[in-house]
Amino acid sequence: MDFDRFFEGELAKLHQAGNYRVFADLERHRGGFPRATRHRADGTTQDVTVWCSNDYLGMGQNPKVLAAMRETLDLSGAGAGGTRNISGTNHYHVLLENELADLHGKEAALLFSSGYVSNWAALGTLAAKIPGIIVYSDAKNHASMIEGIRHSRAEKRLFKHNSPEDLARLMAADDPKAPKLVAFESVYSMDGDIAPIKEILDVAEAFGALTYIDEVHAVGMYGPRGGGVAEREGLMHRIDVIEGTLGKAFGVMGGYITGSAALVDFVRSYASGFIFTTAIPPALAAGARASIIHLKESRDERRLHQENVAKVRAGLDRRGIPHMPNPSHIVPVRVGDAAKCKWISDILLDNYGIYVQPINYPTVPVKTERLRITPTPLHTDEDIKHLVEGLSDLWSQCALARAVA
């Protein structure tokens, strides 16, 4: 078989469908976020404003975070030295896990190299090791959750997105004696909608199920201390496993789970995705801990962030740019055509210095292609005006329908 010819043919299909992904070569500058320098293939550079970062609060630039990382780098060096089991556990990992457990009101926490890995490893381990368990997964759960459940080979049921009623119907149809696990997210990152957490927990508890929530797009963003939507709604104590990331609102890198001491120790002891991977560097752990401590006390970032989200939505409404309504911080501007979505993204970057990536299939279904805009507290009113005017110009050029006020 001519493998390269096969690869080239498959890539050509992506190009033809408008789904080929091109990464912008960006250089962030300390203290300058959301500004960045774009490095073009021809060797030239361009100043751009980033509008699609998951560093939602700009904490990757926070002076407290940077100071903690510098200090720890000088004290402990660059790498962790190995897996947590073989020389890789550093005191900064322990301090961070204690901080995370406190954030979510749980007995224990466990660090992973990313949010993807924490979902894959934790769900995969729990579902594989609990005999006869049935997993009930929201139909729009993240790929990391889907892969973890699939890897476990446990029986699974998909319930309709954000539907406690469908979850109850499925659970009632199964063996009442079978152990059960309900896995869902709080904020769904592509549509920006939020789960009816209380109602899902009501159903899960009625059937004695273990509950697992992914709060990666909510930690740092919601709740009086940044514990997520479950904290905001006073529900953390009712959830068995709260999973999150350190790489979005906390601005650093890594993933984690929190839960009872026994559950967390069980995952620590059995999850291959934890046992056989190198620990995150101590400096990253120290930076993440500094970010969490800051956001537990400071509400300014969250307040300013929500104000800017409201300004962006209002600006889009004034120009008739259709965006998907939701109660979260994510502003999806639906284009509905893969080629046009990429074209708009390219022109915004090349001609307007606005960087917002197109979101196409398979991340979202065909005909729902969109630009996923994520305002931050650090975007200015001028930035927002420039974004809205740029989108309005290109909306006219593409002859796309405008929303009716």
Side-chain angles (χ1 to χ4, degrees):
M1 181 176 183
D2 186 337
F3 291 105
D4 278 347
R5 184 175 181 181
F6 168 77
F7 300 146
E8 290 165 359
E10 294 301 302
L11 290 170
K13 293 177 185 177
L14 291 177
H15 281 285
Q16 291 164 7
N19 290 328
Y20 182 77
R21 297 167 191 249
V22 177
F23 298 153
D25 182 353
L26 301 182
E27 180 183 357
R28 295 186 5 154
H29 303 289
R30 177 174 58 84
F33 184 78
R35 313 281 176 250
T37 297
R38 176 194 180 196
H39 293 265
R40 295 190 180 96
D42 63 4
T44 61
T45 61
Q46 175 192 16
D47 293 332
V48 301
T49 300
V50 179
W51 275 102
C52 54
S53 174
N54 284 342
D55 186 358
Y56 293 130
L57 300 177
M59 289 301 293
Q61 304 287 316
N62 184 278
K64 293 180 182 178
V65 174
L66 300 183
M69 294 183 72
R70 286 193 203 96
E71 179 183 0
T72 307
L73 187 64
D74 288 339
L75 289 172
S76 297
T83 66
R84 291 285 296 275
N85 295 287
I86 303 176
S87 79
T89 294
N90 187 283
H91 186 53
Y92 295 99
H93 297 135
V94 177
L95 291 174
L96 175 54
E97 287 172 340
N98 291 340
E99 205 66 55
L100 288 164
D102 174 77
L103 176 66
H104 294 295
K106 300 299 182 185
E107 293 178 341
L110 188 65
L111 285 172
F112 294 85
S113 55
S114 73
Y116 190 105
V117 175
S118 56
N119 268 335
W120 180 86
L123 280 170
T125 300
L126 292 169
K129 295 295 184 181
I130 300 174
I133 196 166
I134 303 171
V135 180
Y136 301 83
S137 177
D138 187 285
K140 288 192 176 182
N141 274 345
H142 190 263
S144 57
M145 303 175 78
I146 294 168
E147 289 298 327
I149 295 165
R150 180 182 296 152
H151 177 74
S152 75
R153 299 186 179 180
E155 277 196 68
K156 65 178 182 292
R157 313 278 187 261
L158 294 183
F159 63 93
K160 294 177 183 178
H161 179 52
N162 280 351
S163 174
E165 297 78 14
D166 195 49
L167 173 62
R169 179 186 65 80
L170 291 170
M171 297 185 86
D174 282 321
D175 182 354
K177 295 181 180 179
K180 299 173 176 63
L181 187 158
V182 176
F184 61 107
E185 301 181 40
S186 59
V187 178
Y188 288 83
S189 64
M190 289 301 114
D191 291 349
D193 55 334
I194 294 177
I197 300 175
K198 179 183 180 300
E199 290 76 9
I200 290 175
L201 294 178
D202 288 344
V203 173
E205 289 169 356
F207 289 91
L210 194 71
T211 50
Y212 184 110
I213 191 170
D214 173 321
E215 288 251 45
V216 297
H217 291 276
V219 290
M221 305 294 293
Y222 301 95
R225 299 198 310 159
V229 178
E231 184 196 25
R232 184 188 71 182
E233 298 180 6
L235 297 169
M236 291 196 298
H237 65 288
R238 293 178 59 185
I239 303 171
D240 295 302
V241 183
I242 298 177
E243 184 266 352
T245 184
L246 305 170
K248 292 183 171 61
F250 292 130
V252 190
M253 179 184 175
Y256 65 88
I257 62 166
T258 64
S260 70
L263 185 149
V264 170
D265 196 23
F266 179 84
V267 174
R268 182 191 69 86
S269 300
Y270 285 100
S272 63
F274 173 82
I275 294 170
F276 297 106
T277 193
T278 300
I280 66 171
L284 291 182
R289 179 170 178 259
S291 181
I292 293 164
I293 291 172
H294 175 78
L295 289 174
K296 281 180 177 179
E297 299 294 331
S298 174
R299 302 187 184 186
D300 290 343
E301 290 82 4
R302 290 188 281 277
R303 176 180 56 80
L304 292 170
H305 178 264
Q306 289 299 324
E307 288 176 4
N308 273 356
V309 169
K311 289 177 182 178
V312 169
R313 291 187 186 278
L316 295 173
D317 288 340
R318 283 193 295 271
R319 293 301 186 101
I321 305 299
H323 57 96
M324 299 166 65
N326 64 59
S328 77
H329 57 282
I330 295 165
V331 185
V333 173
R334 184 176 289 194
V335 179
D337 179 280
K340 287 184 178 180
C341 193
K342 186 175 186 314
W343 183 84
I344 291 173
S345 173
D346 289 345
I347 298 300
L348 282 174
L349 184 58
D350 290 337
N351 296 357
Y352 294 82
I354 293 171
Y355 174 53
V356 53
Q357 273 283 55
I359 306 296
N360 293 338
Y361 179 84
T363 307
V364 295
V366 174
K367 302 300 182 185
T368 71
E369 294 84 2
R370 66 202 64 176
L371 300 171
R372 180 180 176 274
I373 296 170
T374 54
T376 75
L378 302 178
H379 285 97
T380 66
D381 289 347
E382 188 58 36
D383 291 333
I384 295 171
K385 180 182 177 183
H386 185 55
L387 170 71
V388 170
E389 289 179 350
L391 283 170
S392 183
D393 291 346
L394 298 183
W395 226 252
S396 296
Q397 292 183 42
C398 281
L400 291 167
R402 294 186 184 254
V404 178

